[in-house]
Amino acid sequence: QEQLVESGGGSVQAGGSLRLSCAASGYTFRTYSTGWFRQAPGKGREGVAVVDRDGTTTYADSVKGRFTIIKDNAKNVLYLQMNSLKPEDTAMYYCADTPKSASWLFSSGTGPKGHWGQGTQVTVSS
């Protein structure tokens, strides 16, 4: 069964750090562009960070300098290291992938051959 499973969410005070993990199984993870998205209550889904098949990374302006996306193809795991967290980072975080490019993932989502995880909640208090 092809799937992505996130973990590592939780509650933290502003200025703190969290590391999210996303484990892939059932398919060749390294051939996919992968990324993290988030959705806050009452808001639309937002792309946070993506990494292309060649390792190129792209970040949303709101998280540049604070978040780092890391893809470990040997372990089939995607990470999101989040530092200097702010209350506005509070959201459900999802990992996703696509066999297309990272820019396509960022702008269009996974498409029919990609995958979404079930999400993990991140709450940042002031």
Side-chain angles (χ1 to χ4, degrees), residues 72-107:
D72 187 333
N73 287 321
K75 296 182 178 179
N76 287 347
V77 179
L78 181 71
Y79 301 99
L80 185 68
Q81 178 65 45
M82 305 185 293
N83 298 328
S84 302
L85 282 162
K86 304 175 181 180
E88 51 263 44
D89 294 320
T90 295
M92 185 71 79
Y93 283 71
Y94 301 88
C95 64
D97 64 24
T98 179
K100 297 179 180 286
S101 68
S103 60
W104 198 91
L105 176 64
F106 215 125
S107 63

Side-chain angles (χ1 to χ4, degrees), residues 6-78:
E6 301 98 333
S7 60
S11 297
V12 65
Q13 289 191 327
S17 299
L18 283 173
R19 188 176 79 159
L20 306 183
S21 299
C22 173
S25 59
Y27 61 102
T28 308
F29 185 58
R30 59 179 173 80
T31 64
Y32 283 65
S33 299
T34 61
W36 290 95
F37 295 78
R38 65 186 181 187
Q39 187 165 18
K43 295 188 177 181
R45 186 180 65 202
E46 173 190 23
V48 175
V50 294
V51 53
D52 214 324
R53 292 153 296 184
D54 65 357
T56 303
T57 57
T58 303
Y59 295 90
D61 288 342
S62 58
V63 306
K64 280 181 182 177
R66 301 188 297 122
F67 290 11
T68 303
I69 187 170
I70 302 167
K71 187 181 183 188
D72 187 333
N73 287 321
K75 296 182 178 179
N76 287 347
V77 179
L78 181 71

